[in-house]
Amino acid sequence: MSEFAPDSVDLVTPQTARFDDPLELACGRTLPGYELVYETYGTLNAARSNAVLICHALSGHHHAAGYHSNDERKPGWWDAHIGPGKSIDTERFFVISLNNLGGCHGSTGPTSANPDTGRQWGPDFPMITVEDWVHSQARLADRLGIQRFAAVVGGSLGGMQVLQWTLAYPERIANAVVIAATPKLTAQNIAFNEVARQAIRSDPDFFDGWYAEHATLPKRGLKLARMVGHITYLSEDAMGSKFGRDLRSDDLNFGFDVEFQVESYLRYQGDTFSTSFDANTYLLMTKVLDYFDPAASHGGDLARALAPASCPFLVVSFSTDWRFTPSRSRELVNALIRAGKRVSYANIDSPHGHDAFLLPEPRYQAVFGGFMARVARDLDLEGK
Amino acid sequence: MSEFAPDSVDLVTPQTARFDDPLELACGRTLPGYELVYETYGTLNAARSNAVLICHALSGHHHAAGYHSNDERKPGWWDAHIGPGKSIDTERFFVISLNNLGGCHGSTGPTSANPDTGRQWGPDFPMITVEDWVHSQARLADRLGIQRFAAVVGGSLGGMQVLQWTLAYPERIANAVVIAATPKLTAQNIAFNEVARQAIRSDPDFFDGWYAEHATLPKRGLKLARMVGHITYLSEDAMGSKFGRDLRSDDLNFGFDVEFQVESYLRYQGDTFSTSFDANTYLLMTKVLDYFDPAASHGGDLARALAPASCPFLVVSFSTDWRFTPSRSRELVNALIRAGKRVSYANIDSPHGHDAFLLPEPRYQAVFGGFMARVARDLDLEGK
């Protein structure tokens, strides 16, 4: 008998796909062979038509649902939405979730060995873009015998990958779900990323990215980067109701130890992250975000950039998300409409800011689950 | 003939007031003698009734208007609002602007000598609060023979000092002008301050605040702190229209050198600040902000906390200010109304975010200048 909830995908085991063909990258460099680590949930149908690809966000990875062991404290990062009967229903869909190239959770990235030198890639790892990710994901689909995804789904930076899928491989994506994302970063988004990068790169333990060879980690910088990130993930209201101006102890200490609960929270989040995430990967992921701008090569006209897309879209935003505000989603929706595409849009009233895309919320689940149920019904009709 | 504009206060010379009576501080410690550096603009009238006190913000100082020399490139930080015919009209008012205790521009602070040790106070400088500042400012008023200010005026952290003046010395303030301020920080405000503090305190050159004795400066930390600050001072729209996604050069470099204009701006602002502002002072100023919460000692009831206030208030907020949003000003206005106080409130439509309080904007000048003109007329009536 399973020890997990009835709507859990239970125990899952990551797998690794090795690719020996070089991958030409947008930056002009070529990545020799590489590996992608991924998980799957559910069963691929005979027609190989029910696959759903999950694209992860900035600090995400392949472990989106279920548990790696009976002892694992928390399930995968999107377990609220992937499982039997959930929005991405594993009784109907075959779900694939990977760690992207450049990641630090098993796929080839800065912590992997550079075949040319035998030592870690470190800062020599080539700069990656969303376009590169999508190409590498298409190769993974080839490997798994999937010609066309029933849906490609992602939140935040994951949503940018979904958007790129509709442009690079319109014939290979039947539906697109773009959640809490944006067609491009604003100057303020880039500014926050730049603070994170400066924090990491100015840490004396960064050693121009060669910290591993110096047997150290730029923990201070990574901690600061994560602290800044967390402020932008939560809404002001969510932070207020979670912490307010509550003090850690009864009295002010008039010093620089933790006084307010929110300070304690941020320091803890930063400390945990600073030893568990690779700094070169974090730098790379922030640049991937900065670079994404499909309209740029079309004179800034997003509707024109979207011309290749052919599938229906679901776009979801959250009312208190100030990292990628609802207006960023509406910019995408308006461009899709101008381009004559099919699009459903929901702005979900939620107090949880950007983080809302990770959480279960009935209205969000109704919209997301409703769209995916239609995707599943279309598959049933195709099968008849 | 003056080399300056006709509405400039022209050349000004800072003065220093020395106080030998110890000052008991809210933190429980006592500051022995101290000095305050200040400037004055305009002429004190015979009744000594036309004095206006300017309270500065986080990184501000006493040099609010005019020039220290003919070679000075930029006038004082609030020159847009102080001068002949300006909102604070120096032909009608005698304006006093000081550097607050704990500052690094001439008043006693962490860079001053500790009389007990002969060396710099550094991190041993006692923690200061808005209450302490107001007491020290009242002593400066005594020294200058000013029993009652025609108005006390300030923006941001300066507005908090104005509010405290109305509570601590209601009989000594005839009018209060509180601009782009808040009756207390939110958890998000504290969170941003905590990132700034962690950036400074985790810089290896900080040496627990004794960097001067190590002949160094925590430049990396102070730079990061300032970069974060600048993001919060500008509105998202202002940053967007100022920089957008414009690139520094024609092509992406796919590296970590400056690519976007906004990165260049932030690095420049951070670098400049990192060698010109004292890190211990910056830490102290952020704590002064965090601590201010006059309602806390009244069970969180701001209206009750405001009971002592007796003067008319002008409260001004700016539509795109997301550091201290218009809703924070409305919280103060509503409490003033509930407490039965006289208050005028204007939310100025401006694209410039929190920084708007420093800028000349016709609607802002009309409201601010209009209120101050009434203050001046009241003085004329008193004189009759």
Side-chain angles (χ1 to χ4, degrees):
Chain A
M1 189 189 133
S2 163
E3 300 182 32
F4 304 106
D7 63 353
S8 170
V9 297
D10 298 350
L11 285 178
V12 294
T13 307
Q15 301 167 67
T16 299
R18 165 98 209 145
F19 299 86
D20 289 319
D21 284 348
L23 185 70
E24 286 183 29
L25 303 170
C27 67
R29 292 174 64 186
T30 300
L31 193 66
Y34 59 92
E35 295 184 348
L36 294 177
V37 62
Y38 67 98
E39 295 180 359
T40 69
Y41 324 113
T43 308
L44 188 60
N45 64 10
R48 298 181 166 273
S49 64
N50 70 332
V52 170
L53 178 68
I54 308 295
C55 301
H56 70 69
L58 184 59
S59 58
H61 44 66
H62 54 291
H63 187 32
Y67 298 82
H68 282 169
S69 75
N70 285 317
D71 303 329
E72 204 172 43
R73 204 167 41 88
K74 286 197 302 185
W77 57 269
W78 226 14
D79 198 87
H81 299 287
I82 303 170
K86 294 182 183 171
S87 294
I88 301 175
D89 187 346
T90 50
E91 300 196 319
R92 310 181 90 168
F93 295 113
F94 174 65
V95 181
I96 303 167
S97 173
L98 79 158
N99 184 214
N100 278 323
L101 267 183
C104 57
H105 288 88
S107 291
T108 298
T111 59
S112 309
N114 177 347
D116 287 346
T117 64
R119 62 178 195 169
Q120 273 199 8
W121 278 104
D124 279 349
F125 195 80
M127 191 63 82
I128 300 286
T129 65
V130 170
E131 293 87 328
D132 300 327
W133 277 347
V134 167
H135 293 313
S136 71
Q137 291 162 358
R139 286 193 181 177
L140 179 63
D142 294 341
R143 179 69 56 87
L144 298 175
I146 292 151
Q147 178 49 34
R148 186 167 181 252
F149 283 108
V152 182
V153 181
S156 194
L157 175 53
M160 291 175 168
Q161 296 161 59
V162 177
L163 191 52
Q164 183 59 27
W165 261 96
T166 69
L167 307 180
Y169 298 100
E171 72 290 357
R172 301 192 66 173
I173 169 173
N175 292 280
V177 181
V178 179
I179 304 171
T182 172
K184 63 172 187 282
L185 294 201
T186 62
Q188 190 188 77
N189 293 145
I190 295 173
F192 276 120
N193 281 344
E194 174 64 5
V195 169
R197 285 190 291 263
Q198 286 292 318
I200 292 169
R201 294 175 54 79
S202 71
D203 185 328
D205 286 331
F206 181 66
F207 291 106
D208 289 329
W210 297 109
Y211 41 87
E213 304 206 341
H214 290 81
T216 186
L217 292 172
K219 282 186 275 192
R220 285 170 294 234
L222 209 46
K223 175 180 177 176
L224 289 168
R226 185 63 162 180
M227 289 174 72
V228 171
H230 263 283
I231 297 177
T232 69
Y233 303 151
L234 292 180
S235 71
E236 174 151 29
D237 282 354
M239 214 171 225
S241 57
K242 203 165 176 174
F243 308 108
R245 295 178 50 87
D246 291 349
L247 296 171
R248 187 90 176 290
S249 58
D250 285 346
D251 290 308
L252 294 174
N253 62 33
F254 291 108
F256 294 99
D257 291 337
V258 160
E259 290 193 299
F260 296 98
Q261 290 289 4
V262 67
E263 296 172 320
S264 170
Y265 168 81
L266 284 181
R267 289 189 197 182
Y268 175 80
Q269 295 290 343
D271 282 332
T272 305
F273 193 72
S274 71
T275 54
S276 66
F277 204 89
D278 178 59
N280 286 317
T281 289
Y282 197 81
L283 291 172
L284 189 147
M285 297 284 174
T286 65
K287 291 300 274 188
V288 173
L289 276 165
D290 286 6
Y291 289 139
F292 187 67
D293 184 7
S297 52
H298 295 81
D301 185 337
L302 184 58
R304 205 139 60 82
L306 292 169
S310 58
C311 70
F313 284 75
L314 172 65
V315 178
V316 178
S317 61
F318 299 94
S319 58
T320 58
D321 184 351
W322 68 279
R323 183 175 176 83
F324 299 146
T325 60
S327 65
R328 313 302 298 156
S329 286
R330 283 196 289 271
E331 182 184 329
L332 172 59
V333 169
N334 290 337
L336 286 166
I337 291 170
R338 273 188 288 128
K341 311 300 175 186
R342 289 164 289 172
V343 55
S344 304
Y345 170 57
N347 182 36
I348 306 291
D349 201 11
S350 158
H352 298 294
H354 191 60
D355 268 357
F357 89 86
L358 297 166
L359 305 173
E361 203 282 321
R363 284 164 292 193
Y364 173 30
Q365 290 167 309
V367 167
F368 189 4
F371 185 86
M372 293 304 294
R374 195 270 301 154
V375 174
R377 280 197 304 278
D378 286 354
L379 293 175
D380 293 343
L381 291 175
E382 277 173 24
K384 273 167 195 159
Chain B
M1 189 188 135
S2 164
E3 301 182 31
F4 305 104
D7 62 353
S8 170
V9 298
D10 297 348
L11 285 177
V12 295
T13 306
Q15 300 168 70
T16 300
R18 165 97 209 145
F19 299 88
D20 289 318
D21 283 348
L23 184 70
E24 287 183 29
L25 303 170
C27 67
R29 293 173 62 186
T30 299
L31 192 67
Y34 57 93
E35 294 184 347
L36 294 177
V37 62
Y38 65 99
E39 296 180 358
T40 68
Y41 324 113
T43 309
L44 188 60
N45 63 13
R48 297 181 167 273
S49 63
N50 69 333
V52 170
L53 178 68
I54 308 295
C55 301
H56 70 70
L58 184 59
S59 56
H61 45 67
H62 53 290
H63 187 32
Y67 298 82
H68 283 169
S69 75
N70 285 319
D71 303 328
E72 203 171 43
R73 204 168 40 89
K74 286 198 304 185
W77 58 268
W78 226 14
D79 197 86
H81 299 286
I82 303 169
K86 294 182 184 172
S87 294
I88 301 175
D89 187 346
T90 49
E91 301 196 317
R92 311 180 88 168
F93 295 113
F94 175 65
V95 182
I96 303 167
S97 174
L98 78 157
N99 184 213
N100 277 323
L101 267 184
C104 55
H105 288 88
S107 290
T108 298
T111 58
S112 308
N114 178 346
D116 287 347
T117 64
R119 62 179 194 168
Q120 272 199 8
W121 278 102
D124 279 350
F125 195 81
M127 191 63 82
I128 300 285
T129 64
V130 170
E131 292 88 328
D132 300 327
W133 277 347
V134 167
H135 293 314
S136 70
Q137 291 161 358
R139 285 194 182 175
L140 179 62
D142 293 342
R143 178 70 55 88
L144 298 175
I146 293 151
Q147 179 50 35
R148 187 168 181 250
F149 283 108
V152 181
V153 180
S156 194
L157 174 54
M160 292 174 166
Q161 296 162 57
V162 177
L163 191 51
Q164 183 59 27
W165 260 96
T166 70
L167 306 181
Y169 298 101
E171 73 288 357
R172 301 191 67 174
I173 168 172
N175 292 280
V177 180
V178 179
I179 302 171
T182 172
K184 63 171 186 284
L185 294 201
T186 63
Q188 188 187 81
N189 294 145
I190 295 172
F192 276 121
N193 281 344
E194 174 64 5
V195 168
R197 286 190 291 264
Q198 286 293 316
I200 293 169
R201 295 175 54 79
S202 70
D203 185 327
D205 286 331
F206 181 66
F207 291 104
D208 289 328
W210 296 110
Y211 40 87
E213 303 207 341
H214 289 80
T216 185
L217 292 172
K219 282 187 274 190
R220 286 167 295 233
L222 208 46
K223 175 180 177 177
L224 289 168
R226 186 61 164 182
M227 288 173 73
V228 171
H230 264 282
I231 298 178
T232 68
Y233 302 152
L234 291 180
S235 71
E236 174 152 27
D237 282 352
M239 215 172 225
S241 56
K242 202 166 177 175
F243 308 108
R245 294 178 53 85
D246 292 349
L247 296 170
R248 189 87 176 291
S249 56
D250 285 345
D251 290 308
L252 294 173
N253 62 33
F254 292 107
F256 293 100
D257 291 338
V258 160
E259 290 192 299
F260 295 99
Q261 290 288 6
V262 67
E263 296 172 322
S264 169
Y265 169 79
L266 286 180
R267 288 189 198 182
Y268 175 79
Q269 294 291 342
D271 281 333
T272 305
F273 193 72
S274 71
T275 54
S276 65
F277 204 87
D278 178 58
N280 285 317
T281 288
Y282 197 82
L283 291 172
L284 189 147
M285 296 284 173
T286 66
K287 292 300 276 188
V288 173
L289 276 164
D290 286 6
Y291 290 138
F292 187 66
D293 183 7
S297 53
H298 294 81
D301 185 338
L302 183 58
R304 205 140 61 81
L306 292 169
S310 58
C311 70
F313 284 75
L314 171 64
V315 178
V316 178
S317 61
F318 298 93
S319 57
T320 58
D321 184 350
W322 67 278
R323 183 175 176 85
F324 299 147
T325 62
S327 65
R328 314 301 300 156
S329 284
R330 283 196 290 271
E331 181 183 330
L332 172 59
V333 169
N334 289 338
L336 285 167
I337 292 169
R338 272 188 289 127
K341 310 300 175 189
R342 289 164 288 170
V343 55
S344 304
Y345 169 57
N347 181 37
I348 305 290
D349 201 11
S350 158
H352 298 295
H354 191 60
D355 267 358
F357 89 85
L358 296 167
L359 305 174
E361 204 281 323
R363 285 164 292 193
Y364 172 31
Q365 290 168 309
V367 167
F368 188 5
F371 186 88
M372 293 304 295
R374 195 272 300 153
V375 174
R377 281 197 304 277
D378 285 356
L379 291 176
D380 292 344
L381 291 175
E382 277 174 24
K384 274 167 195 160

